[in-house]
Amino acid sequence: RPVIGVPRETAVGERRVALVPDIAKRLVGAGMDVVVESEAGLAASFEDEEYTAAGATVVPAAGEVYRRASVVIKVQRPQIDPATGRDEADLLREGQALIALLSPLTDPQLAGRLADMRVDAFSMDAIPRITRAQSMDTLSSQATVGGYKAVLIAAERLPKFFPLLTTAAGTIRPARGIVMGAGVAGLMAIGTAKRLGAVVEATDVRPVVKEQVQSLGGTFIEVEMTPEEKAAAETAGGYATEMSDDYKRRQAALIAERVKDADFIITTALIPGRPAPRLVTDEMVASMKPGSVIVDMAAEMGGNDEGTEAGKEVVRHGVTIIGITNLPATMPGSATQMYAKNLQTLIKHLVGDGTTATIDFDDEITKGATITHGGKVVHEATAKALGIEPPAAPAPAAAAPAQPSTDADATASAESKDA
């Protein structure tokens, strides 16, 4: 029986957990064992007793989780635990599988290390955005949470109402906002802002999203594009691409006229594996009304606003610029529920009707999500980032679950690090 291991997340500010009790129950019912580190779900309001009631085994330390698990599932990629100084990757062993948000293009060196350790690694943020994989699409599920929370933060920081109000004390005009980037996060931000009563405009390099913006009640800020620019604006996977300098100049000129009247801006523009495009200049910020708010959802990748400081809230020219780097973790209950469902669906996809995963590189989802396998980096873009050629896709082969470690000395060492 495969053993699914769920350690507590150690990243600073991370309150999500990889599995909720309800999904743990479903995995147990599918013939798997689930081992959860004590208090792993506490920050997301899931208590140990709920996991036990779901049929999972709760253990006191992460070392025990890693020792017993054949498949380790996490939210964040392995990193140094700031509380203990322990490197989580050191707890993995040959033959184990790891599923997490590995960000392989941001940290390709980790992929190389996992390959050297002969750990089969699957990245939730590398799953292709195709119809068949929608229920596994973690980027979309977490972006939904982030787009919603970004607007709530803007509403809380803005020193005025969002909706139009007619009162005995006079009429309050609605807040005006701009959402930059109309992907999943941007569309959620538009819908949330409209529900709160704001007047919303949106911009995106992909002209195909215009109807989606309008369907949510937003106004699309449309930059004139050549046929060549329209064709190049979107990847086959639906992601925005880096546009030409001439397009950026035209876009910036148009946005500069709109930001002067904006009370808040939500920026969401990201390009996979690249620094975030700069959309808001210091000059634009200076043109905004004092008290206005910018929530930069691209802060972790450098920010869409040139004044953004990752993880900080700063004030420039009287405008508050908020660079929270992990918005989904600020709503851990809902974010965890969605992430756990994504994980369950991927596990079911890999396992099928049995209990042994088959790594089928002819399957688009499996191929896209698999970063390392058989001691090699098999994800093409990650291999290129490391300067190596990805190996030719091997024939489908069953990946037997790793057996629990029986090395008593190694076990004691791992557990002592968690004490």
Side-chain angles (χ1 to χ4, degrees):
R1 289 164 63 95
V3 180
I4 309 296
V6 185
R8 178 179 54 83
E9 297 294 321
T10 63
V12 176
E14 183 55 74
R15 298 169 60 198
R16 292 171 292 178
V17 63
L19 210 60
V20 298
D22 179 59
I23 300 299
K25 183 177 181 179
R26 297 183 191 184
L27 293 177
V28 171
M32 305 178 194
D33 292 329
V34 177
V35 180
V36 181
E37 182 182 358
S38 181
E39 298 188 350
L42 197 58
S45 302
F46 301 108
E47 297 185 342
D48 289 349
E49 291 77 12
E50 296 178 75
Y51 288 101
T52 302
T57 300
V58 176
V59 298
E64 179 74 2
V65 172
Y66 282 88
R67 182 182 70 82
R68 297 177 60 170
S70 53
V71 180
V72 175
I73 59 175
K74 290 177 56 24
V75 178
Q76 298 280 0
R77 59 184 181 268
Q79 54 196 275
I80 304 295
D81 183 343
T84 64
R86 177 197 66 204
D87 188 336
E88 291 179 296
D90 289 340
L91 297 178
L92 292 163
R93 66 179 185 279
E94 180 177 341
Q96 273 184 318
L98 170 68
I99 308 177
L101 288 163
L102 297 176
S103 303
L105 299 183
T106 301
D107 188 7
Q109 289 74 23
L110 173 62
R113 183 180 176 190
L114 293 174
D116 291 341
M117 297 172 68
R118 301 190 71 82
V119 171
D120 287 345
F122 303 86
S123 190
M124 295 299 292
D125 49 358
I127 292 173
R129 279 180 155 170
I130 59 177
T131 301
R132 193 162 55 92
Q134 283 183 340
S135 58
M136 313 173 202
D137 188 354
T138 297
L139 287 177
S140 291
S141 73
Q142 302 306 291
T144 297
V145 178
Y148 173 80
K149 189 58 180 287
V151 173
L152 297 188
I153 291 172
E156 193 275 328
R157 296 291 196 278
L158 190 68
K160 61 181 292 185
F161 289 114
F162 257 44
L164 169 70
L165 292 178
T166 302
T167 74
T171 298
I172 307 294
R173 299 182 65 181
R176 301 185 65 88
I178 297 176
V179 176
M180 296 186 179
V184 175
L187 292 173
M188 186 63 177
I190 294 166
T192 303
K194 287 297 295 183
R195 286 190 292 272
L196 291 176
V199 175
V200 186
E201 295 181 299
T203 179
D204 195 291
V205 301
R206 300 165 299 166
V208 295
V209 303
K210 178 178 179 179
E211 290 185 6
Q212 298 175 56
V213 170
Q214 292 175 331
S215 71
L216 292 170
T219 299
F220 189 63
I221 302 174
E222 193 164 11
V223 182
E224 290 188 11
M225 303 177 74
T226 65
E228 293 76 16
E229 287 173 335
K230 289 181 180 180
E234 184 175 10
T235 68
Y239 294 99
T241 59
E242 185 83 24
M243 299 298 287
S244 67
D245 289 340
D246 183 57
Y247 175 87
K248 291 178 182 177
R249 178 188 57 77
R250 284 179 277 128
Q251 181 188 45
L254 186 57
I255 292 174
E257 289 301 313
R258 306 300 181 96
V259 299
K260 295 176 183 178
D261 296 323
D263 297 297
F264 67 94
I265 296 175
I266 310 292
T267 69
T268 72
L270 284 169
I271 299 171
R274 302 282 298 277
R278 290 294 170 83
L279 304 178
V280 182
T281 66
D282 187 65
E283 184 178 3
M284 292 179 188
V285 175
S287 74
M288 297 178 72
K289 294 170 286 188
S292 299
V293 177
I294 298 173
V295 180
D296 194 337
M297 292 185 63
E300 190 170 11
M301 295 303 294
N304 297 138
D305 184 328
E306 66 176 328
T308 297
E309 295 184 29
K312 297 182 179 179
E313 180 176 320
V314 298
V315 178
R316 297 178 65 85
H317 309 294
V319 176
T320 300
I321 304 172
I322 300 168
I324 296 176
T325 55
N326 189 353
L327 279 169
T330 66
M331 290 189 62
S334 294
T336 289
Q337 287 180 330
M338 298 171 80
Y339 182 74
K341 181 60 178 179
N342 297 149
L343 266 172
Q344 180 204 9
T345 312
L346 176 62
I347 292 171
K348 182 178 180 181
H349 174 78
L350 294 174
V351 172
D353 295 329
T355 56
T356 300
T358 299
I359 311 303
D360 180 6
F361 286 97
D362 288 331
D363 179 82
E364 186 177 1
I365 297 172
T366 302
K367 181 180 179 181
T370 306
I371 308 303
T372 65
H373 176 64
K376 298 182 183 297
V377 176
V378 297
H379 189 253
E380 184 176 353
T382 303
K384 287 182 178 179
L386 288 168
I388 60 176
E389 287 294 325
Q403 297 302 310
S405 172
T406 57
D407 186 332
D409 291 335
T411 302
S413 175
E415 291 178 341
S416 68
K417 292 179 182 179
D418 291 290

